[in-house]
Amino acid sequence: MRKSRLPDGGINLFQSIKKVKMEAKADGNTLIDLSIGQPFGPALQSARNAASVAILSKEESMHEYQDNGSPGVEDFASKFVDFHVMANLRNYDVDYLPTPGTKPMLGLIPLACGAGLKAIATTTNPGYPTPRDWCQYLGLKVIEPELNSDNNFLFNPYELDGKDVGLVMINYPHNPSGAVASRLWLETLCTYCEDNNIRIFNDAAYSALAYDNSSCCLSDVAVDFPDLSWAEAFSASKLIDNGTGWRIGAMVGSKDFIGDIKTIKGNTDSGFVAPMAFGVLAAIENDQKSIIANMEKYKRRTETLCGILLGAGMRPAITPKAGFFTLWEVPKFAFARKIEDARDFNFAMIEKFGVVGVHFGKYIRYSVACVEIEDVADKIEEAFKYAFVDY
């Protein structure tokens, strides 16, 4: 009998939400879509201008395979990483790798750890599910330490003791909570992993959108652990406003880990699109004012949305410190009835008021990525007011 040979659970969460949204629209509802994690509109003008010049260039290096380097954009990876990191990495024994964004690279990280890898710890409970999904497709055991309000969405590394973990894949600043990794927590994680020969990878896609000084990159800490095997990935997707389709990023890390990633990537990938990388580099070198304004826009929207939901009785799981996501505890009662779970609450809010979120386990995420909250503040306030939430 012919049937799927993939692991169970392959139905995409966002596709199920999309289906309910389409049904709500068909019923005549106007949606306030707080589910989308993609900024609205184009990339920054400065990035687009520079990319257009690069595309028109006749230089062969701008149009050929870039592979594991960037012949069209000299030293792109080191310059891009330097923009995000406080430490002067040139003084340390590190290596760099330009990437076509981060998402296509996530499956290569466990592969780069070799066939002897037994288990991987991920920050996916709750969290961005791709690392967990990759590990399941690869048949690897996944350990998901619980992230919650009590631990500020930062697990205790020593909880991993005795679980055969050979790789820790983290995502800070964190999606969906907006939690950031502090230097102290990263030092604890690095100490534990160095002592136990565990590799660390951090997806730092939102590091440039952190608006709290406590946020710290793994790179700024890991360089002080000479025996630690580590890597960190940075992305331009949200950095230059909507650069999600540009697929430009870079990694930095210890030479052993980056070297292994290069081996896998070199055999499976031809590199990024050089003109887009040229545009990204132009923006971070010449238009930091717009990048800062972009971060401040999300901070303002987040504060406005949090004020509305708090006023309506919603309970935050944590106060976000980066990015454009807010995470909330799911009410036990709403709409004059008992709420079964996050999915139940989310779909009811879509059906009754057109307010769309993303349900993550016992939490619900509302994003401000593509909605100017001030313009719909009254409608959001009214929706949650008449939902009569109660805990």
Side-chain angles (χ1 to χ4, degrees):
M1 179 184 296
R2 292 184 294 183
K3 60 180 181 179
S4 173
R5 301 183 186 185
L6 296 177
D8 292 336
I11 299 176
N12 186 280
L13 167 64
F14 296 93
Q15 291 301 318
S16 65
I17 294 173
K18 183 178 181 180
K19 181 176 181 292
V20 175
K21 288 195 298 184
M22 292 176 63
E23 292 172 351
K25 282 186 177 180
D27 290 339
N29 292 339
T30 300
L31 299 184
I32 302 173
D33 198 343
L34 305 179
S35 69
I36 299 175
Q38 174 178 306
F40 178 76
L44 294 178
Q45 182 74 47
S46 57
R48 286 182 284 139
N49 287 345
S52 67
V53 172
I55 287 173
L56 292 173
S57 168
K58 293 183 179 180
E59 292 294 327
E60 183 178 350
S61 62
M62 194 62 72
H63 303 281
E64 66 182 349
Y65 288 136
Q66 305 295 298
D67 295 316
N68 278 350
S70 54
V73 191
E74 187 176 358
D75 295 328
F76 173 82
S78 59
K79 292 176 181 176
F80 188 66
V81 169
D82 284 347
F83 173 80
H84 294 84
V85 176
M86 296 293 292
N88 184 356
L89 297 181
R90 312 303 174 93
N91 295 331
Y92 296 91
D93 192 29
V94 301
D95 199 4
Y96 300 89
L97 177 64
T99 65
T102 299
K103 186 180 290 185
M105 298 293 102
L106 293 178
L108 306 189
I109 305 306
L111 288 175
C113 292
L117 188 61
K118 294 181 180 179
I120 298 175
T122 63
T123 50
T124 52
N125 180 28
Y128 183 61
T130 304
R132 179 191 64 222
D133 293 344
W134 262 114
C135 293
Q136 290 176 337
Y137 291 141
L138 292 170
L140 295 168
K141 181 181 178 181
V142 181
I143 307 295
E144 297 181 280
E146 183 178 359
L147 308 178
N148 54 45
S149 303
D150 292 336
N151 61 21
N152 291 315
F153 289 80
L154 298 166
F155 69 93
N156 180 355
Y158 290 88
E159 293 176 4
L160 305 178
D161 187 46
K163 296 182 179 179
D164 294 324
V165 172
L167 169 66
V168 176
M169 296 182 72
I170 60 176
N171 163 219
Y172 289 102
H174 183 245
N175 172 6
S177 69
V180 298
S182 67
R183 173 172 286 274
L184 179 60
W185 182 78
L186 286 170
E187 287 174 346
T188 302
L189 177 65
C190 289
T191 298
Y192 176 80
C193 289
E194 185 181 54
D195 290 345
N196 291 277
N197 196 29
I198 297 172
R199 280 180 160 174
I200 307 175
F201 170 82
N202 183 40
D203 175 0
Y206 301 97
S207 64
L209 297 182
Y211 37 82
D212 187 281
N213 292 333
S214 65
S215 179
C216 187
C217 289
L218 172 64
S219 301
D220 285 314
V221 176
V223 289
D224 293 325
F225 291 79
D227 294 325
L228 179 68
S229 186
W230 64 277
E232 187 164 37
F234 301 93
S235 169
S237 291
K238 318 296 169 59
L239 174 72
I240 56 170
D241 211 347
N242 187 7
T244 54
W246 288 43
R247 311 315 305 147
I248 302 297
M251 290 186 190
V252 66
S254 58
K255 288 185 175 180
D256 64 303
F257 199 177
I258 294 295
D260 288 344
I261 298 170
K262 281 183 175 182
T263 297
I264 302 292
K265 180 181 177 297
N267 288 318
T268 59
D269 171 76
S270 298
F272 59 27
V273 180
M276 313 313 280
F278 187 85
V280 169
L281 193 60
I284 65 173
E285 290 183 340
N286 305 311
D287 194 18
Q288 292 190 20
K289 179 179 179 181
S290 294
I291 292 174
I292 293 172
N294 188 42
M295 177 273 293
E296 291 177 340
K297 171 183 67 178
Y298 295 132
K299 179 184 179 183
R300 171 178 50 80
R301 288 179 181 177
T302 297
E303 290 175 344
T304 301
L305 179 64
C306 287
I308 295 170
L309 269 58
L310 283 167
M314 291 287 288
R315 289 183 181 176
I318 189 173
T319 300
K321 297 180 179 181
F324 38 66
F325 298 124
T326 66
L327 196 67
W328 303 84
E329 295 180 6
V330 175
K332 294 181 179 179
F333 299 91
F335 321 109
R337 66 175 178 83
K338 184 178 180 180
I339 295 298
E340 295 180 7
D341 52 25
R343 180 181 181 276
D344 179 25
F345 180 72
N346 189 29
F347 285 174
M349 287 296 294
I350 297 172
E351 177 185 354
K352 296 179 181 297
F353 302 113
V355 177
V356 187
V358 176
H359 42 279
F360 281 90
K362 61 183 180 181
Y363 303 104
I364 185 162
R365 186 193 82 182
Y366 291 114
S367 168
V368 300
C370 65
V371 177
E372 190 55 74
I373 300 299
E374 286 85 351
D375 293 344
V376 291
D378 291 345
K379 293 181 180 179
I380 296 173
E381 185 175 19
E382 182 179 11
F384 280 90
K385 175 183 177 182
Y386 287 106
F388 297 110
V389 302
D390 188 13
Y391 292 85

